[in-house]
């Protein structure tokens, strides 16, 4: 462990932890061994950074969050695994993030993410960059959430679910099917409720790109085609763009099936 003035004498920091020189650790925080923390990260009072945590630079871990907790999985046998937190990610109060199991060996949260208070990210999940997880949302094991996705508060996500990039999921939803890219998922039961127009415009998508996404989902959800025929029609009739490929590739990769229209 690197000794520095930013580590409170009231914090418990293991000699087996590797901290950059300017990491700040506030009173009553706990940092176990086999932990790595990058430059400029702030560990607030009462946070617990458990063995296997790999935390990037300029992160903030707020009070009473637990990073790299032991997986809540009966198949876990104490294998050495990690939880990776990307640069500039903010983890708010009472968040719990489990490390991986033998399945993947790691739980990953990308860069520039915001995980709000009381959320849970289970073992072997993979979150991309710029993901926002709302207060008290609960994400089961081996879920994948792509870049720029937003889950509103109190969302429940079933294990193995895929959530595409630039999606928005309504608060209080129960996600049991995959949510394809660029979509809004809302209502009860959860369904495709349109294209995330506001989010895409805020992130610099052109009107032409947004129109193509809208056309793809019109073919998928509004023409009465089965999924295979809809994908074939999308590929035949729409320009080959990154957005079109992401939609088609995501749906073909889905094993749980996508949300209904």
């Amino acid at each position: 462990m690197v000794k520095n003035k930013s580590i409170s004498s009231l914090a418990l920091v293991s000699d087996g932890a590797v901290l950059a020189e300017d990491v700040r650790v506030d009173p009553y925080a706990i940092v176990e061994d086999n932990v790595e923390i990058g430059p400029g990260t702030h560990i607030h009072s009462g946070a617990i950074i458990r063995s296997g945590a790999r935390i990037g630079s300029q992160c903030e871990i707020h009070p009473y969050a637990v990073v790299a907790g032991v997986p809540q999985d009966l198949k876990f046998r104490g294998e050495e695994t990690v939880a990776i937190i990307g640069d500039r990610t903010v983890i708010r109060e009472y968040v719990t993030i489990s490390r991986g199991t033998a399945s993947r060996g790691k739980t990953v949260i990308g860069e520039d993410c915001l995980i709000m208070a009381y959320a849970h990210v289970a073992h072997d999940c993979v979150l991309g960059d710029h993901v926002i997880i709302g207060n008290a949302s609960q994400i089961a094991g081996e879920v994948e959430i792509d870049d720029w996705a937003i889950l509103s508060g109190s969302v429940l996500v079933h294990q193995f679910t895929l959530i595409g990039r630039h999606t928005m999921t309504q608060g209080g939803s129960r996600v049991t099917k995959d949510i394809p890219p660029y979509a809004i998922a809302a209502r009860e039961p959860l369904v495709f409720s349109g294209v995330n127009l506001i989010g895409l415009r805020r992130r610099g998508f052109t009107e032409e790109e947004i129109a193509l996404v809208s056309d793809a989902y019109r073919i998928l959800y509004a023409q009465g085609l089965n999924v295979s025929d809809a994908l074939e029609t999308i590929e035949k009739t729409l320009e080959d763009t990154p957005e079109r490929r992401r939609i088609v590739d995501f749906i073909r990769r889905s094993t749980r099936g996508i949300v209904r229209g």
Side-chain angles (χ1 to χ4, degrees), residues 195-234:
V195 174
N196 186 13
L197 300 175
I198 294 175
L200 295 181
R201 287 171 181 148
R202 285 176 176 171
R203 293 165 202 148
F205 283 74
T206 67
E207 291 304 315
E208 291 76 14
E209 290 168 334
I210 293 172
L212 184 142
V213 170
S214 298
D215 288 342
Y217 285 123
R218 192 174 299 112
I219 292 169
L220 180 66
Y221 285 117
Q223 292 192 359
L225 302 172
N226 65 37
V227 172
S228 298
D229 289 343
L231 294 181
E232 184 176 345
T233 301
I234 289 169

Side-chain angles (χ1 to χ4, degrees), residues 8 10 70 126 133 139 150 167 190 215 256:
S8 170
L10 297 177
V70 174
V126 178
I133 305 298
I139 303 172
I150 298 175
T167 52
L190 196 69
D215 288 342
R256 296 187 60 80

